[in-house]
Amino acid sequence: VFHSPVERMYDEAYGLLLETRNSMTFIAPQLRNDMAPEDRLFVTYQSTRLTSRLLEMMSWLMAQKAIHGGEMTREQAREQG
């Protein structure tokens, strides 16, 4: 089965998002217990930044998939922001 470059990027980004979620859910809490409060705050901040960037990327890739699939035009995607 052939997947377009956009579909492959989407799949990879989705995998990264799941890995990030799993790390934050299962690994990070154990590590944070031994950290100073300022370090916990920094890790939380960086986790939020990473998740936010991944979600922005996923949103853009979803729009690209919709454009390539004929579900929306580039103009419609631009209007969505």
Side-chain angles (χ1 to χ4, degrees), residues 30-70:
Q30 296 168 359
L31 298 174
R32 279 190 225 139
N33 290 337
D34 297 329
M35 292 181 176
E38 342 33 89
D39 294 334
R40 284 196 306 266
L41 180 61
F42 180 75
V43 168
T44 300
Y45 170 71
Q46 294 300 331
S47 299
T48 302
R49 281 185 66 221
L50 175 61
T51 303
S52 176
R53 298 306 184 274
L54 286 169
L55 289 173
E56 288 173 9
M57 186 171 51
M58 292 292 298
S59 175
W60 183 84
L61 287 166
M62 287 174 71
Q64 298 307 305
K65 282 178 67 170
I67 291 167
H68 290 282

